[in-house]
Amino acid sequence: SLFRFVLPVRRVNRVDVNTRQGNPADGETEERPLRILLAEDVEENRALLAAYLAKTPYRLTMVADGVEAVRQVQTALFDVVVMDVQMPGMDGYTATRLIRAWEIEQARAPLPIIALSAHAMEGEMERSREAGCTLYLSKPIRKKVLLDALRWIGSPEGRRP
């Protein structure tokens, strides 16, 4: 028998936070500059999240539906997807399942996906995990909550499979 497999790994330059003191070195920022895909159908919500991220090192790409979110993940590089779970056409849960299936098919590491839902009902968090989401946040989203989630995703703990 012949077995082959591909390990999708990224080269990461780590900074030892125990030895770092004072201000960041030249060219170094406190936050890892994540490439974020936001899938949100409501224009006002896209504008709000864009405003939250305006003065951060994060790079934001926005789409208005699940179909475009899946297409973007398959054609561009992102570090995290922030996915509204209720969108017309293809909802965020379906888009997440399709992304996860594509990742398996392509032997890619799972991309962190943060589910956003206006329904903070019991069972919604479990539903997002079953779909393959990494984190669940309820709307209305506060800036600090979003930034904390993104910092965690950008940290060594958040990047572990």
Side-chain angles (χ1 to χ4, degrees), residues 118-161:
H119 301 288
M121 298 184 300
E122 191 173 320
E124 200 65 28
M125 184 181 298
E126 183 60 32
R127 186 174 175 204
S128 72
R129 287 204 177 141
E130 287 172 2
C133 296
T134 310
L135 293 174
Y136 173 87
L137 301 176
S138 61
K139 293 179 186 176
I141 186 81
R142 293 190 173 137
K143 182 177 181 177
K144 181 179 179 351
V145 171
L146 176 65
L147 293 178
D148 286 348
L150 293 172
R151 282 186 195 105
W152 182 80
I153 293 290
S155 73
E157 294 82 23
R159 289 191 303 266
R160 284 190 194 133

